[in-house]
Amino acid sequence: MSAQNVKKENAGAVQDSTSNPESAAGSVAAVDPRLLVREQGFAGYLTEFKRRIRGGELGTMPVIAGLVVIWIIFQSLNSGFLTAGNLTAMSITMVGTGLIAVGIVFVLLLGEIDLSVGSVSGVAGAFSAVLSVNHGVNDWLAILIAIVTCLVIGAIHGFFFARLGAPAFAVTLAGLLFWQGFMLQILGDNGTINLNPDGGIVKLTTYYFSDVAVGYGLALVTVVLFFLSSYSDARRRKAADVPSRPLSEIILRTVLLAVLAFAVAIMLNQYKGTPLALVVFLALVVLTDFVLRRTPYGRKVFALGGSVEASRRAGINVTMIRISVFGIAGAFAGAGGLFLASKIATANQGAGTGDLLMNSIAAAVIGGVSLFGGRGRTWHALLGVLVISSIQNGLALEGVASPVQYMITGAVLLATVVIDSVTRKTQKSAGRA
């Protein structure tokens, strides 16, 4: 929409308000402020940025700023932190926790919690190892069966919560204990099953696309698909006469993404190449982000997180959405557990224990997903796990003990929750909640 059209609509609104004062406010509000912002160019975006800050709409800015600070600090302490080898190793290590965090995002969007994901991830690793090593099942088939099993486990939790009305906290806490015991049971007396070092499960984290063309090709495909998707969306919105991004903004965003994507590709190719684990993780993040933002199912999840009663009155099947969300969380917990087992080439009694549950939930929250439901994206899980992995990796390089790592991670989580709470209060005071 051009500036001339905006001015005409505003003029019409003023004329209507003169003849009918009661409709003045509604007429002026019909013009989306984003249209005016984009007509003003850079100054308009600066004004919009200031408005968002005053309104508490911080988005991912604190996370990105914090990540930059973390990297600067650790690089100044150890010149090996930002090397290709260390960053590649860190990207593989974070995949298991990151996948579990992606599933947690779905649950948090409902304003609920799932405490069983750590134990469920352990079940996936143990179950796939038993099938593959003890019973000779094809590794890839064992992987598929393990993920489907975890999906069913999550759906069972969702059934008790959604259909029978049991609190999600209590149901998943019981699941944490039950599935931990189940994992120990299927592992047997030995408690450890070593995976085939040349098998498919281990290759999840050891396989690299060594050809440099793969990394650059994936970066190029990502940039092209982003541009085409953004451009198509803008044209569709413009045709519907609703606010849309101008071509100049789409090009700027595409250039920024291209710089980031090719920088990552260059970094990975300086070591062993592009890790399969990272490719799978990023592909699943993109897929789940598309599901949440571009499909009716995703809109129902957000609606349910905003208001259960309103969603029910709108005709949304609340029970099925809740069951499916917990099923998704279970499936991603299983996928994460497989990558964690692959990383150590073993399924053992320690799987799914320790700080895994804490880190998975913390990654989603630190990345920007609200604990109060209704706000968040799967990209936030990626940002959050990157922050946690960077802190743990940097502290490990400095030889800092695990207790200190726990305390620092806990402090970062607390700061994030405080920011989230303050942001919501600011938005309410600004009338934007």
Side-chain angles (χ1 to χ4, degrees):
M1 184 180 291
S2 64
Q4 185 177 2
N5 291 335
V6 172
K7 291 178 181 178
K8 287 181 180 179
E9 290 194 15
N10 286 336
V14 172
Q15 184 176 0
D16 291 342
S17 65
T18 304
S19 58
N20 187 4
E22 294 181 357
S23 63
S27 300
V28 174
V31 181
D32 193 297
R34 289 174 292 181
L35 294 175
L36 299 176
V37 166
R38 286 168 179 155
E39 292 293 341
Q40 296 170 8
F42 178 77
Y45 282 102
L46 183 60
T47 301
E48 175 68 5
F49 175 76
K50 293 178 180 178
R51 181 195 67 80
R52 290 172 65 90
I53 293 297
R54 288 194 301 269
E57 301 176 42
L58 301 178
T60 58
M61 289 186 292
V63 185
I64 296 175
L67 185 60
V68 171
V69 171
I70 290 169
W71 282 14
I72 291 174
I73 292 175
F74 285 126
Q75 178 63 17
S76 65
L77 294 174
N78 191 319
S79 59
F81 180 74
L82 291 181
T83 59
N86 187 60
L87 291 178
T88 300
M90 187 169 64
S91 69
I92 296 174
T93 301
M94 74 179 189
V95 169
T97 304
L99 285 172
I100 299 174
V102 169
I104 287 291
V105 169
F106 281 80
V107 178
L108 290 179
L109 287 176
L110 297 183
E112 301 296 339
I113 195 68
D114 189 341
L115 301 178
S116 69
V117 289
S119 297
V120 174
S121 71
V123 169
F127 197 35
S128 62
V130 170
L131 291 175
S132 174
V133 177
N134 294 356
H135 298 284
V137 177
N138 177 272
D139 277 5
W140 300 109
L141 179 59
I143 289 172
L144 178 61
I145 293 174
I147 293 177
V148 172
T149 300
C150 292
L151 186 151
V152 173
I153 290 173
I156 292 173
H157 296 159
F159 173 82
F160 281 104
F161 164 60
R163 178 66 70 179
L164 302 183
F169 179 91
V171 171
T172 56
L173 178 60
L176 181 154
L177 299 173
F178 181 87
W179 300 115
Q180 184 70 29
F182 181 76
M183 179 193 71
L184 298 177
Q185 181 68 30
I186 63 176
L187 284 174
D189 296 334
N190 188 31
T192 300
I193 299 178
N194 295 320
L195 299 172
N196 180 5
D198 297 322
I201 300 176
V202 174
K203 285 184 177 180
L204 289 174
T205 54
T206 59
Y207 184 82
Y208 293 82
F209 297 99
S210 57
D211 190 342
V212 296
V214 175
Y216 295 133
L218 290 174
L220 179 61
V221 170
T222 300
V223 172
V224 171
L225 289 178
F226 175 81
F227 174 79
L228 294 177
S229 175
S230 300
Y231 182 69
S232 175
D233 181 65
R235 289 191 61 182
R236 186 168 58 251
R237 294 175 67 86
K238 186 176 181 180
D241 200 25
V242 295
S244 61
R245 290 192 175 97
L247 182 60
S248 58
E249 182 181 343
I250 295 175
I251 293 176
L252 176 60
R253 287 170 174 261
T254 303
V255 170
L256 293 176
L257 177 62
V259 171
L260 176 62
F262 280 95
V264 172
I266 291 172
M267 182 272 295
L268 294 174
N269 285 330
Q270 288 179 353
Y271 187 55
K272 295 182 179 180
T274 306
L276 172 63
L278 184 61
V279 173
V280 172
F281 181 36
L282 294 178
L284 289 174
V285 169
V286 171
L287 176 62
T288 50
D289 182 71
F290 176 83
V291 170
L292 284 175
R293 296 196 306 118
R294 302 286 185 175
T295 65
Y297 175 81
R299 288 190 285 271
K300 290 175 183 178
V301 172
F302 278 107
L304 195 56
S307 173
V308 176
E309 186 58 32
S311 300
R312 183 178 289 108
R313 293 185 179 185
I316 296 176
N317 190 332
V318 173
T319 299
M320 291 308 301
I321 294 296
R322 283 175 163 173
I323 292 176
S324 65
V325 163
F326 277 88
I328 290 172
F332 273 93
L338 290 170
F339 278 90
L340 292 171
S342 171
K343 188 70 173 62
I344 60 176
T346 300
N348 56 37
Q349 296 177 343
T353 60
D355 60 352
L356 178 61
L357 173 62
M358 179 199 72
N359 285 341
S360 301
I361 298 176
V365 176
I366 289 173
V369 182
S370 177
L371 284 169
F372 303 97
R375 191 180 79 238
R377 296 177 59 179
T378 51
W379 284 105
H380 294 159
L382 171 61
L383 288 174
V385 76
L386 191 55
V387 168
I388 292 177
S389 298
S390 298
I391 293 174
Q392 294 177 340
N393 182 273
L395 293 175
L397 288 177
E398 293 302 306
V400 178
S402 296
V404 179
Q405 296 184 28
Y406 285 143
M407 290 188 287
I408 293 177
T409 305
V412 172
L413 176 59
L414 177 61
T416 305
V417 174
V418 170
I419 291 174
D420 183 33
S421 300
V422 172
T423 297
R424 290 180 66 87
K425 290 182 180 179
T426 304
Q427 289 177 343
K428 287 182 179 179
S429 62
R432 301 184 183 279

